[in-house]
Amino acid sequence: MNDHLTRDEDFDLYALGALEGFEKQVLESHVAFCLGCAQKLADARERIAILGLAAPPANAPAAVKEHLLQQIRVAREGGAATPTEMKPQSARRAALSPWTVILLPIVAVLAIASFLLWKANRRLDSQLAALRASVQQEQHQHARDMAGLVAAQDTITVQLVPQPVISQGAARVMYNAKMGMLIYEGQIPPAPAAKSYQLWLVPASGKPISCGVFSPVAGQPDHWVTKLPIGIQPKTFVVTLEPSGGMPQPTGPKVLVGAPS
């Protein structure tokens, strides 16, 4: 029990008509004065309604129908006992009609399914909240990193000059070796079919390092950030035209080239 004298599963059981006796009276008395629990009961009724629409129709066995028809025939012929002739125990057994025997398991299954669905929704809500918090934290950290890169005195800006492979375009990179971060900004024509552009940092010694693969959209500028190994001193920055998805090392023609001044 909680401070509201109700259990969470009681709302679903009440909506299913499976809550009886003292517990039913307690819930009915409580929701009459508690707006929060009244809302929980309304939510439970909505869930049960949805489950009822989603459940496949259940057909009673043919024997049940025949049994009911037989009872009707006997009653018409005067062979059935009147209610005053029935013993209390017999009357209670008669109350448990074949339809009750069929519906009780269905009600129990729906109650369990509703409770499990409620628990799954609670767990999903918790996971979504944690994911939103993680995404927001990453976005804030990304914004701080970019602001730090732009403000740092040792960040270099390199203009990338278009080569004859493309007719027009302009781009630049901002790079900080100590932070291991690079920002690319530019606008160049879309790559040909089955091709992508790839940015490379060519170090003073060693092989070129891929800084990212991108596919521009006509009329839209590109702006993205990438992480690189810390401490790499660049000789030049080059954009090449590569097969779609990029390559481990440059293979295509140079599209943009720029060197630190």
Side-chain angles (χ1 to χ4, degrees):
M1 292 289 183
N2 54 32
D3 294 339
H4 293 272
L5 303 178
T6 57
R7 299 170 300 183
D8 289 334
E9 59 267 27
D10 286 346
F11 299 103
D12 292 313
L13 293 174
Y14 185 90
L16 286 165
L19 195 67
E20 298 178 347
F22 178 73
E23 292 179 336
K24 179 181 178 182
Q25 295 175 2
V26 169
L27 189 143
E28 289 176 339
S29 300
H30 182 71
V31 297
F33 300 96
C34 180
L35 293 178
C37 289
Q39 182 59 49
K40 288 184 179 180
L41 181 58
D43 294 340
R45 285 171 169 161
E46 183 178 353
R47 287 195 297 271
I48 298 306
I50 294 173
L51 287 172
L53 292 174
N59 296 320
V64 174
K65 180 179 179 181
E66 181 60 30
H67 179 72
L68 292 174
L69 292 176
Q70 180 64 24
Q71 287 183 332
I72 294 172
R73 285 195 291 268
V74 171
R76 287 177 176 176
E77 293 171 1
T82 63
T84 57
E85 297 172 342
M86 297 175 64
K87 296 181 180 180
Q89 184 65 24
S90 300
R92 179 164 181 83
R93 289 180 179 175
L96 294 176
S97 68
W99 290 105
T100 303
V101 174
I102 295 172
L103 291 176
L104 280 177
I106 297 176
V107 169
V109 170
L110 288 176
I112 295 172
S114 178
F115 179 69
L116 293 177
L117 180 61
W118 173 79
K119 290 185 65 177
N121 286 338
R122 289 285 298 271
R123 185 167 56 251
L124 180 59
D125 288 342
S126 177
Q127 293 173 348
L128 288 175
L131 180 60
R132 293 191 190 99
S134 177
V135 170
Q136 289 178 352
Q137 184 177 1
E138 290 182 1
Q139 290 175 341
H140 292 162
Q141 184 61 47
H142 179 73
R144 286 193 294 267
D145 289 343
M146 288 187 60
L149 173 66
V150 173
Q153 294 183 353
D154 53 351
T155 295
I156 61 173
T157 300
V158 179
Q159 300 296 330
L160 302 181
V161 180
Q163 303 299 297
V165 177
I166 59 175
S167 57
Q168 58 183 357
R172 69 173 184 173
V173 296
M174 299 181 69
Y175 175 68
N176 189 295
K178 291 182 180 179
M179 299 174 64
M181 285 186 61
L182 178 146
I183 298 176
Y184 171 89
E185 296 176 334
Q187 186 169 350
I188 58 178
K195 296 288 185 178
S196 297
Y197 293 116
Q198 192 164 0
L199 174 64
W200 307 90
L201 184 157
V202 181
S205 61
K207 296 181 179 180
I209 301 171
S210 176
C211 301
V213 179
F214 60 105
S215 298
V217 176
Q220 297 184 13
D222 289 293
H223 178 93
W224 41 269
V225 181
T226 187
K227 288 278 191 177
L228 296 170
I230 294 175
I232 302 296
Q233 297 300 322
K235 179 181 179 181
T236 58
F237 292 95
V238 179
V239 174
T240 59
L241 187 62
E242 303 292 346
S244 181
M247 297 292 289
Q249 287 293 301
T251 61
K254 297 177 180 178
V255 177
L256 299 170
V257 177
S261 55

